[in-house]
Amino acid sequence: MASITDKTVLITGSNRGLGKALVEEAMRRGAKRVYAATRRPLPDSDARVTPLALDVTDAAQIRAAVDEVESLDVLVNNAGLALYGDISDRSALERLLTVNLFGTYDVTQAFLPLLARSRGALVNISSLSAIAAVPVQPAYAISKAAAFSLTQALRALLAAQGIGVHAVLAGPLDTDMSRNLDIPKAAPESVARAIFDGVEKDEEDIFPDPVSATIAESWRGGVAKTLERQFAAFVPAA
């Protein structure tokens, strides 16, 4: 995707933090329309922003959202949940998988026909914890690892339809999700810019902040990425 300009973008979890910054950045880059999807839609002063009711765990809302969106070039699965707790809390893991894995899966499946029509881009917001578990958030890390595996699989499976699939492997961001972490955090606005830069440069895995950027080169040339490319060759040619 050469540019976000004149494209139609849908961003889930757009009411605050990174989601809100992504909406603003898409508008700054000249998007034709941005669907700002959240459980409780908020009005926006910019006519190009369309508030969209979308709880990623609600099948009926997903179907209604698909009916409302006429065309789509970029889908950003940003909605997510973070919980603290030890590994013995199965209910926390189930809640996180419901949002972070199955929410991403269900929204993606629902909008695939529109993305295929436009030969558009799918952007899944993940985390460094997807590739190395953070022990103080084990259930969160597990859910993000599962969603990252989904992203890698979709990348290979959707290539024949011309859909670009991007994983955003972010470090700690200065949002409500990480307010309890006493570590350096990146501003959502700078991360949003880096994410769309990565999409426009067709980077498969985007490392959008100073912490994640430190491993970008080694990841792209590492054994895990090499295996992903080798396994992608198993997908039959169209």
Side-chain angles (χ1 to χ4, degrees):
M1 181 165 293
S3 175
I4 300 297
T5 303
D6 292 329
K7 299 295 191 298
T8 299
V9 183
L10 191 156
I11 301 165
T12 66
S14 62
N15 57 319
R16 59 182 181 176
L18 180 58
K20 183 178 180 181
L22 285 165
V23 171
E24 293 170 352
E25 182 63 20
M27 302 307 295
R28 191 185 70 80
R29 291 176 185 245
K32 178 173 65 177
R33 180 175 298 279
V34 177
Y35 289 96
T38 185
R39 286 179 296 175
R40 297 176 182 84
L42 300 172
D44 195 286
S45 58
D46 194 314
R48 293 176 297 167
V49 177
T50 300
L52 187 67
L54 181 52
D55 180 341
V56 302
T57 67
D58 187 320
Q61 281 200 4
I62 294 173
R63 289 193 297 270
V66 171
D67 290 340
E68 188 169 338
V69 177
E70 297 179 357
S71 64
L72 188 62
D73 298 296
V74 184
L75 170 61
V76 183
N77 283 310
N78 169 71
L81 178 66
L83 297 173
Y84 290 86
D86 62 51
I87 198 67
S88 65
D89 188 353
R90 181 188 171 107
S91 64
L93 177 58
E94 290 176 343
R95 288 178 62 194
L96 286 160
L97 287 171
T98 297
V99 176
N100 297 344
L101 173 61
F102 293 114
T104 295
Y105 173 84
D106 289 340
V107 171
T108 298
Q109 291 298 116
F111 284 99
L112 273 183
L114 291 179
L115 290 178
R117 189 183 306 165
S118 66
R119 299 179 70 85
L122 170 65
V123 185
N124 288 342
I125 306 298
S126 190
S127 163
L128 287 180
S129 63
I131 57 178
V134 179
V136 295
Q137 289 181 297
Y140 175 77
I142 291 167
S143 70
K144 284 297 186 180
F148 181 43
S149 185
L150 169 66
T151 303
Q152 291 175 307
L154 289 171
R155 181 178 292 152
L157 294 169
L158 299 179
Q161 299 180 51
I163 300 174
V165 179
H166 308 268
V168 177
L169 295 161
L173 310 185
D174 189 12
T175 65
D176 289 345
M177 271 192 181
S178 60
R179 64 182 179 274
N180 294 325
L181 297 177
D182 187 18
I183 54 177
K185 304 167 189 174
E189 294 77 13
S190 66
V191 172
R193 287 194 297 273
I195 289 171
F196 282 127
D197 283 346
V199 172
E200 292 180 345
K201 294 175 184 176
D202 200 26
E203 295 176 359
E204 291 183 341
D205 300 317
I206 301 170
F207 298 85
D209 59 275
V211 172
S212 65
T214 62
I215 71 161
E217 184 176 354
S218 60
W219 171 264
R220 290 171 178 144
V223 63
K225 192 65 183 177
T226 299
L227 281 172
E228 179 190 341
R229 295 188 182 108
Q230 291 175 348
F231 291 163
F234 296 161
V235 178

